[in-house]
Amino acid sequence: MAELSLNRARSIIRKALAKGREEGFKPLSVVVLDTGGHVKAFEREDGAAPGRFGIAQGKAYGAIMLGMAGRAQMARAEQQAYFMAAVNGVYGGQVVPVPGGVLVRDQRGNIMGAVGVTGDTSDNDVIAAVAGIEAVGLTPEE
Amino acid sequence: MAELSLNRARSIIRKALAKGREEGFKPLSVVVLDTGGHVKAFEREDGAAPGRFGIAQGKAYGAIMLGMAGRAQMARAEQQAYFMAAVNGVYGGQVVPVPGGVLVRDQRGNIMGAVGVTGDTSDNDVIAAVAGIEAVGLTPEE
Amino acid sequence: MAELSLNRARSIIRKALAKGREEGFKPLSVVVLDTGGHVKAFEREDGAAPGRFGIAQGKAYGAIMLGMAGRAQMARAEQQAYFMAAVNGVYGGQVVPVPGGVLVRDQRGNIMGAVGVTGDTSDNDVIAAVAGIEAVGLTPEE
Amino acid sequence: MAELSLNRARSIIRKALAKGREEGFKPLSVVVLDTGGHVKAFEREDGAAPGRFGIAQGKAYGAIMLGMAGRAQMARAEQQAYFMAAVNGVYGGQVVPVPGGVLVRDQRGNIMGAVGVTGDTSDNDVIAAVAGIEAVGLTPEE
């Protein structure tokens, strides 16, 4: 299983932030996690609220730990709220089950990490994450 | 009160994983807990998400701590979500109240431990757990 | 970076336990963690105390998170106790900085995971871990 | 109170990492925190252990929360280990009281944030942090 290099993680973050500026989104925060859910790189734009690291990380962390992207987590939370609440307990309160936690897959479909974006609406957060991941030639799973 | 031996715990795990392969389930993770809720043995199949230990353990741990298998816990969570949330707080966030946490009983009905399975749908997780427990001549309570 | 397969993790555990029986060690518990510090497989021998999972995991977890095996962690703890106490806080109390947390490296020196053994003296725990790792053709770092 | 912009935080990280490469240090991880102790930016070099975010953050977080850089925290820990242990409890286990947590001050002496570096010896971590801070025309307090 290949890990994302720091160079690629940086490019993902830059492109995600550039997409946000281009679309006129609010200030974004973007994290890249490795295949074990550990932080590889993070940036928070000027004007974003101070607590955004935790939200970005929580979106990406749940995606890695469950192997399930943010949209699927949200669907599960809407069907069975107590299940996602319990999962959150298991993972120490570090899971934010909404869109914006996006899995990064290579050409063979292997998970290489996850990107978490927060700052605008969840759907806009996804747009920024996807732009970043596609810019480095990898495949996003929203 | 008889405890499950390591040999029996291993057999349960192997048979549960074999059942999963036979049925074409997604990669599974299987834990066996003793009568005190402590881990006896665990295996996570290649391709399963990294965080699956916590989910498997959470399913089996609630079964032991409450003496109530996963299906009964889910029923309670659906009736009274705040009760299961409170239970989760009491047990340090380590309870996942859905099917796949299966009690193991001997011929007299004594609890000998619990099995937790995660990776496919909750109902398929139960099928794998039951196959493992029955293969060693014990009685599952789903 | 290659991950340990479940087959290899099983072999490591079996050989580590066999080494313990051969040497007349007390009942052992052995965990194998992946490169992100997540549990791949675990077994606790009959007669081992119920809480041994946490100790085995704590030895291997610190090795992964810091990239530093148990003997090096112990040396640091003896020089600067408050540093290892602080590290433990950072990692949620999940680090046990003594011998028995052994890094698993491939031929090129890349970390493939870690093994944690507990049950006998720390030095004997290391002997069992090393036997398991060498039996699958990999290189232990104690 | 002026905050570090994302541009400046990026420059600090790049220069700190460049200094590490130039000096032949082991792979480094560098975090920049704002005046509230919240993460502004972070990068972990390829080859660094997965848990390095927590150590980098812990070094910088203590510096901000106490208004006391890493060397002063270490001196205090060596005199009164129980005091720093208590401080660690107060701040949720997020303080690592060793060199490598460096305050960032402007020309008037106001704190603008903190930098945390980890990966090589504590003294080398400081060298990298100082290089990063000075490169953007600000004043490090080690």
Side-chain angles (χ1 to χ4, degrees):
Chain A
M1 185 161 42
E3 289 284 348
L4 288 166
S5 66
L6 177 55
N7 269 339
R8 248 175 166 176
R10 273 181 191 160
S11 296
I12 290 172
I13 291 175
R14 295 306 165 81
K15 290 290 182 173
L17 296 181
K19 183 71 177 176
R21 287 316 102 242
E22 192 187 311
E23 300 284 340
F25 295 165
K26 290 188 209 161
L28 299 179
S29 300
V30 184
V31 76
V32 177
L33 301 188
D34 68 17
T35 58
H38 304 291
V39 189
K40 184 76 183 172
F42 172 78
E43 290 188 359
R44 170 163 57 96
E45 286 193 303
D46 300 332
R52 289 291 170 177
F53 171 77
I55 306 296
Q57 184 192 30
K59 289 184 178 189
Y61 189 68
I64 288 291
M65 293 303 274
L66 294 164
M68 189 191 293
R71 291 200 192 281
Q73 288 180 61
M74 186 172 76
R76 186 74 189 259
E78 289 183 346
Q79 287 179 308
Q80 259 187 311
Y82 60 86
F83 173 74
M84 285 308 300
V87 163
N88 217 340
V90 166
Y91 298 134
Q94 296 301 302
V95 172
V96 180
V98 296
V102 180
L103 288 167
V104 180
R105 293 190 187 270
D106 67 13
Q107 289 82 337
R108 296 177 181 180
N110 296 315
I111 292 173
M112 294 186 73
V115 174
V117 179
T118 183
D120 204 283
T121 65
S122 289
D123 285 338
N124 286 344
D125 294 341
V126 171
I127 288 169
V130 165
I133 295 164
E134 290 181 341
V136 298
L138 295 169
T139 304
E141 179 184 329
E142 308 177 14
Chain B
M1 184 161 45
E3 290 283 349
L4 287 166
S5 66
L6 177 56
N7 269 339
R8 248 174 164 176
R10 273 181 191 160
S11 297
I12 289 172
I13 292 175
R14 296 305 165 82
K15 289 290 182 173
L17 295 181
K19 185 70 178 176
R21 287 316 101 241
E22 194 186 311
E23 299 284 339
F25 295 165
K26 290 189 208 160
L28 300 178
S29 300
V30 184
V31 75
V32 177
L33 302 187
D34 69 16
T35 57
H38 303 292
V39 189
K40 184 74 182 174
F42 172 77
E43 290 188 359
R44 171 163 55 98
E45 285 193 302
D46 300 333
R52 290 291 169 179
F53 172 77
I55 307 297
Q57 184 192 32
K59 289 184 178 189
Y61 188 68
I64 289 291
M65 293 306 275
L66 295 165
M68 187 192 294
R71 290 200 193 283
Q73 288 179 61
M74 185 171 78
R76 188 72 189 262
E78 287 181 348
Q79 288 179 307
Q80 262 187 309
Y82 61 86
F83 174 74
M84 286 307 300
V87 163
N88 217 337
V90 167
Y91 298 131
Q94 296 302 303
V95 172
V96 180
V98 296
V102 180
L103 288 167
V104 181
R105 292 191 188 271
D106 67 13
Q107 289 81 338
R108 295 176 183 182
N110 297 315
I111 292 174
M112 295 186 71
V115 174
V117 179
T118 183
D120 205 283
T121 65
S122 290
D123 285 337
N124 286 344
D125 294 341
V126 171
I127 288 169
V130 165
I133 296 165
E134 290 180 341
V136 298
L138 294 169
T139 305
E141 178 185 330
E142 308 176 15
Chain C
M1 185 161 43
E3 288 286 348
L4 288 167
S5 66
L6 178 55
N7 269 339
R8 249 175 165 176
R10 272 180 192 161
S11 296
I12 289 171
I13 292 175
R14 294 307 165 81
K15 288 290 181 173
L17 296 180
K19 183 70 177 174
R21 286 318 101 244
E22 195 186 310
E23 300 283 340
F25 295 165
K26 290 189 209 160
L28 299 179
S29 299
V30 184
V31 76
V32 177
L33 303 187
D34 68 17
T35 58
H38 304 291
V39 189
K40 184 76 184 173
F42 172 76
E43 290 189 358
R44 171 163 55 98
E45 285 193 302
D46 300 333
R52 290 288 170 179
F53 172 77
I55 306 295
Q57 185 192 31
K59 289 184 178 190
Y61 188 67
I64 289 292
M65 293 303 273
L66 294 165
M68 189 191 293
R71 290 200 193 281
Q73 287 179 62
M74 187 173 74
R76 186 75 189 258
E78 288 182 347
Q79 286 180 307
Q80 258 188 313
Y82 61 85
F83 174 75
M84 286 308 299
V87 163
N88 216 342
V90 166
Y91 298 134
Q94 296 301 300
V95 172
V96 180
V98 295
V102 180
L103 288 168
V104 180
R105 293 190 186 270
D106 66 13
Q107 289 82 337
R108 296 177 182 182
N110 296 314
I111 292 173
M112 295 185 74
V115 174
V117 178
T118 183
D120 205 283
T121 65
S122 290
D123 284 337
N124 287 343
D125 294 342
V126 171
I127 288 169
V130 165
I133 296 165
E134 289 181 342
V136 297
L138 295 169
T139 304
E141 178 183 329
E142 307 178 16
Chain D
M1 186 162 41
E3 288 285 348
L4 287 167
S5 65
L6 177 55
N7 268 339
R8 249 175 164 175
R10 271 180 193 163
S11 295
I12 290 172
I13 291 175
R14 295 306 164 82
K15 289 289 181 175
L17 296 181
K19 183 71 177 175
R21 285 319 100 243
E22 195 186 309
E23 300 283 340
F25 295 166
K26 290 190 208 160
L28 299 179
S29 299
V30 184
V31 75
V32 177
L33 302 187
D34 68 15
T35 59
H38 303 291
V39 190
K40 183 74 182 175
F42 172 77
E43 290 188 358
R44 170 162 56 97
E45 285 193 302
D46 300 333
R52 291 288 168 179
F53 172 77
I55 307 296
Q57 184 191 32
K59 289 184 178 189
Y61 188 68
I64 289 292
M65 294 306 275
L66 294 164
M68 187 191 294
R71 290 199 193 282
Q73 287 179 62
M74 186 171 77
R76 187 71 189 260
E78 287 182 348
Q79 287 179 308
Q80 261 187 311
Y82 61 87
F83 173 74
M84 286 307 301
V87 162
N88 216 338
V90 167
Y91 298 130
Q94 295 303 301
V95 172
V96 180
V98 295
V102 180
L103 288 167
V104 181
R105 293 190 186 270
D106 66 12
Q107 289 82 339
R108 297 177 181 181
N110 296 316
I111 292 174
M112 295 186 72
V115 174
V117 178
T118 183
D120 205 284
T121 65
S122 291
D123 285 337
N124 286 344
D125 295 342
V126 171
I127 288 169
V130 165
I133 296 165
E134 290 180 341
V136 298
L138 295 168
T139 304
E141 177 184 330
E142 308 178 15

